[in-house]
Amino acid sequence: MRRVIFAMLGLLAGYAAGAALGAALVSLFSGNLHDKDLEIAMTSAFVTGPTGALIGLLAGLFMPLGVKRR
């Protein structure tokens, strides 16, 4: 059960981090002048956010949950 909770937390945190990173990267490096806000929103929501969510999900699933004692 703990692994599922950590996977969901990783999914949510990964999406938020990916969307924020994507927004920052597009705002810094995009040459688009007339609809940069739309480009930032679409890239964050549909590219970098889901990529970050996938990375966070995998990190949450495969994170070691501690050493088991005998």
Side-chain angles (χ1 to χ4, degrees):
M1 186 67 181
R2 286 181 61 192
R3 191 169 302 274
V4 173
I5 292 171
F6 280 121
M8 293 308 241
L9 288 174
L11 186 76
L12 293 173
Y15 187 88
L21 181 65
L25 289 175
V26 170
S27 68
L28 287 174
F29 296 117
S30 176
N32 191 351
L33 297 177
H34 64 281
D35 59 354
K36 188 180 259 189
D37 293 336
L38 181 64
E39 182 181 8
I40 290 171
M42 291 296 129
T43 303
S44 297
F46 296 117
V47 179
T48 59
T51 303
L54 180 64
I55 293 169
L57 175 68
L58 294 175
L61 281 175
F62 298 115
M63 180 174 56
L65 297 177
V67 178
K68 297 190 187 235
R69 297 181 185 188
R70 292 185 212 191

